[in-house]
Amino acid sequence: MIPRFRIAVLPGDGIGPEVMAPALALLHRAAERVGLALATEEHQAGAACWRETGEALPKATMQACRTADAILLAAMGDPAIRYPDGTEIAPQLDLRFELGLYAGIRPVRVIPGVKTPLADPRASGIDLVILRESTEGLFWSRGRGEVRNDAEARDTLVITRATTARLADFAFRLARARRDRGGKNLVTCVDKANVFTSFAFFRRVFDERAAAHPDVRAAHHYVDAMALDLVRRPWAFDVIVTENMFGDILSDLGAALMGGMGYAPSADVGDAHAVFQPCHGSAPDIAGRGVANPTAMILSGAMLLEWLGERHSEPRAVRAGSLLRRAVDAAFAGGRLVTPEHGGTAGTRTVAEAIGAALAALDPGEAARP
Ligand code: ATP
């Protein structure tokens, strides 16, 4: 029987629906090529939804996310639509907390043919993953911060042993899996353990877990030095594991290394659920113009297929994900597709069509090889 995975689809706001439509079409085509069926169903959530219904993440959408095999999300929020306290509507953060998606996976890989801002020839070999804790850290304070007498404001950063240990174990397993595909077998813990008790604790728990994974190399970096080295020698890193806020900042730096927000995919993974979405936001500055780069969204779809395949021991899903990624690489190879971020004219449709053509030309059997 053909397995049929159910995917909850949340197109969201701004450029979200613009990049979701071509990504979904390509996801179905990649799945079809390996004999897999996907049942995708769209649901409402986001800033426009809040304005229309009073709910940013309606109960029906949350329920659909809970029961789906995976969740594909584009982008949510609109700086022009805010909660009364001035904060932006970000139901993607609620999903992370509600579903316990503690491992934020932010791959930083330069697609051959896409311009990276670094002139060093080694930059084409950048291939690392930032693992951002996604349910606590400084983001624990979201909705809990306080302003006292209009004279002082406080937010609290929380690090727990349970989440840090789970995240560290996740990082070591990820490095091991990457090692089998030629990775550097290295996990770097990024913190500010020289100043804060919370980060000294983060590091201590990381070190305890490192001892349980002696076959993988473990290293430490302070976050400020990491920012420096991500520009100076990013090719030296493999898996970087860090707190929520540090990961938020470093992953945008990583997106810049890849050529911009339009190229950076991501996944937020827990023990039972996972959300796949591009790193970028709803980009209201370019919405409605047909220029949004759909690559990050498409690569997030490839991550979804691979995750489903590994979780359900379904090699065809892994193959479909790898096929989609290879189609992206083939479309950009030789620098023939230049997006507006880099001064080119390849808008949403052109990029999606080029990836579609590359997908049609690929041999799906070959995708099985690493
Ligand atoms: P959020 O806080 O919701 O993550 P943000 O403030 O980080 O959002 P983005 O919406 O990601 O902002 O946009 C940052 C910049 O990147 C903007 O100039 C935007 O136009 C650009 N950008 C974002 N996504 C894309 C894309 N897919 N293609 C091209 N440019 C993009």
Side-chain angles (χ1 to χ4, degrees), residues 180-263:
D180 296 342
R181 300 191 294 266
K184 297 182 188 70
N185 196 34
L186 171 67
V187 179
T188 306
C189 173
V190 173
D191 55 47
K192 194 73 183 166
N194 50 337
V195 178
F196 297 104
T197 304
S198 53
F199 284 111
F201 181 68
F202 185 83
R203 182 178 287 208
R204 179 150 61 85
V205 176
F206 170 83
D207 286 346
E208 285 170 17
R209 296 317 304 158
H213 301 272
D215 58 313
V216 181
R217 289 185 295 142
H220 304 115
H221 236 63
Y222 294 129
V223 66
D224 40 347
M226 193 72 234
L228 179 81
D229 277 342
L230 271 182
V231 175
R232 213 169 51 154
R233 49 180 190 105
W235 43 84
F237 298 94
D238 183 14
V239 175
I240 290 167
V241 61
T242 192
E243 178 269 342
N244 206 340
M245 183 71 165
F246 288 168
D248 186 31
I249 298 165
L250 292 179
S251 52
D252 267 28
L253 201 165
L257 293 176
M258 297 172 71
M261 298 304 288
Y263 292 95

Side-chain angles (χ1 to χ4, degrees), residues 115-305:
K115 238 167 76 189
T116 165
L118 301 185
D120 192 305
R122 285 173 292 183
S124 61
I126 297 171
D127 185 359
L128 60 94
V129 177
I130 298 174
L131 198 58
R132 162 191 177 182
E133 197 292 312
S134 295
T135 56
E136 50 186 48
L138 190 53
F139 279 71
W140 178 89
S141 201
R142 182 170 171 257
R144 295 182 170 107
E146 54 171 332
V147 177
R148 294 182 181 175
N149 304 323
D150 207 26
E152 147 183 344
R154 291 179 185 214
D155 280 300
T156 305
L157 187 151
V158 174
I159 300 290
T160 68
R161 165 176 289 282
T163 300
T164 308
R166 273 195 305 182
L167 186 75
D169 284 337
F170 195 104
F172 286 106
R173 285 197 303 271
L174 183 60
R176 198 173 288 124
R178 285 166 58 82
R179 176 182 71 196
D180 296 342
R181 300 191 294 266
K184 297 182 188 70
N185 196 34
L186 171 67
V187 179
T188 306
C189 173
V190 173
D191 55 47
K192 194 73 183 166
N194 50 337
V195 178
F196 297 104
T197 304
S198 53
F199 284 111
F201 181 68
F202 185 83
R203 182 178 287 208
R204 179 150 61 85
V205 176
F206 170 83
D207 286 346
E208 285 170 17
R209 296 317 304 158
H213 301 272
D215 58 313
V216 181
R217 289 185 295 142
H220 304 115
H221 236 63
Y222 294 129
V223 66
D224 40 347
M226 193 72 234
L228 179 81
D229 277 342
L230 271 182
V231 175
R232 213 169 51 154
R233 49 180 190 105
W235 43 84
F237 298 94
D238 183 14
V239 175
I240 290 167
V241 61
T242 192
E243 178 269 342
N244 206 340
M245 183 71 165
F246 288 168
D248 186 31
I249 298 165
L250 292 179
S251 52
D252 267 28
L253 201 165
L257 293 176
M258 297 172 71
M261 298 304 288
Y263 292 95
S266 87
D268 290 297
V269 176
D271 292 332
H273 302 275
V275 173
F276 298 82
Q277 73 166 121
C279 285
H280 62 73
S282 58
D285 54 332
I286 56 164
R289 293 180 16 216
V291 295
N293 185 348
T295 308
M297 183 78 242
I298 294 164
L299 289 173
S300 302
M303 290 175 79
L304 176 147
L305 288 168

